[in-house]
Amino acid sequence: MTLQELVSDWGAALNWLVPLLCGWIWWSARQKFVLKDEQAALARRVSELENAVKDIPDEATMLELRLSLQEMRGEFKAFNAKLEGLQTNVAAVRTNIDMLMQHHLDERK
């Protein structure tokens, strides 16, 4: 049997099998490979993510920030304690001023 005889015997089946085989190959290639516009969109998204990630502080920077915040908390606590002490001093001075004002106002009468 020659190739021509095989094609003529199986011609009807080949008319159905060849398009199915080509369709399957086309579908497999689409599953395996990416189109150029899809690749460009993905590349753009990846570059945007890389730009966003490079601005995120690393572990050492976060540790430095955490230590600085702890130090500031301690300084604020000390500052608040000093302010509370000043409030009592101001209250005492205010009382003294009120007493002096009262005394001097009583002298004028």
Side-chain angles (χ1 to χ4, degrees), residues 43-68:
R44 181 181 46 80
R45 288 178 62 197
V46 166
S47 67
E48 288 173 0
L49 284 174
E50 286 174 345
N51 287 336
V53 167
K54 81 176 174 188
D55 293 335
I56 294 174
D58 60 348
E59 188 177 340
T61 307
M62 289 302 291
L63 178 64
E64 226 175 276
L65 286 171
R66 201 173 297 132
L67 291 175
S68 296

Side-chain angles (χ1 to χ4, degrees), residues 29 33-34 38 46 58 61 66 88 96 107:
F33 301 106
V34 178
E38 290 174 353
V46 166
D58 60 348
T61 307
R66 201 173 297 132
T88 57
N96 288 340
E107 282 182 1

Side-chain angles (χ1 to χ4, degrees), residues 64-81:
E64 226 175 276
L65 286 171
R66 201 173 297 132
L67 291 175
S68 296
L69 284 173
Q70 287 291 67
E71 187 176 324
M72 286 175 61
R73 281 186 191 129
E75 290 174 1
F76 278 125
K77 284 181 183 178
F79 185 70
N80 282 338

